[in-house]
Amino acid sequence: MWRNWDTASALDGRYWVFGIVLLAEAVLIGGGCLVLARRRATRWYRWWIGLCVAVHFVPLAWEFGDWSYLLLAAVQVVGLLAMRPGLAASDYATSRWTAPWSGATFLAYASLSGVVFLTGNGYPF
């Protein structure tokens, strides 16, 4: 890790784009949670946050030039939309399903990315 600390980043010269994406995500999450709070639907916070986080991978796919982020976003969004009816019919916090879903999809994506990296580049150290 230390020997590559000063090497180029995918964001070099484009930090502003990443900043805009994160700012838009924060505004969307905050605004949505504010609306949910006013509607007394705070149990939906985690579902909404999960949806916003999933969608934010769409512009990041372009920013990083890694189109596999589109697949991650699609899998997460489809899963969140599929679980919505079941969550609406229940009375427990949406985090019961959405947090494990997000965590599992991130873990699967990271694992697959690691395998792809290792098979294409070999062990980096």
Side-chain angles (χ1 to χ4, degrees):
M1 176 175 111
W2 298 110
R3 71 179 184 185
N4 294 319
W5 192 261
D6 292 326
T7 59
S9 164
L11 293 174
D12 281 352
R14 299 171 56 115
Y15 288 101
W16 65 272
V17 176
F18 188 69
I20 289 172
V21 170
L22 291 182
L23 178 62
E25 178 185 20
V27 168
L28 195 60
I29 288 171
C33 287
L34 185 60
V35 168
L36 289 169
R38 289 188 176 171
R39 293 183 177 180
R40 300 192 191 285
T42 56
R43 75 183 199 92
W44 286 95
Y45 281 174
R46 181 59 185 94
W47 185 89
W48 174 250
I49 293 167
L51 186 65
C52 292
V53 168
V55 169
H56 106 282
F57 284 105
V58 173
L60 290 183
W62 167 73
E63 174 64 18
F64 293 126
D66 184 350
W67 305 108
S68 67
Y69 282 139
L70 295 177
L71 179 62
L72 173 63
V75 168
Q76 287 189 336
V77 168
V78 166
L80 289 165
L81 292 176
M83 70 179 65
R84 194 178 188 302
L87 292 170
S90 69
D91 61 353
Y92 47 79
T94 59
S95 59
R96 177 183 273 181
W97 290 5
T98 58
W101 173 249
S102 294
T105 56
F106 282 132
L107 180 60
Y109 178 80
S111 299
L112 287 172
S113 293
V115 169
V116 168
F117 178 83
L118 289 174
T119 57
N121 300 302
Y123 186 69
F125 302 108

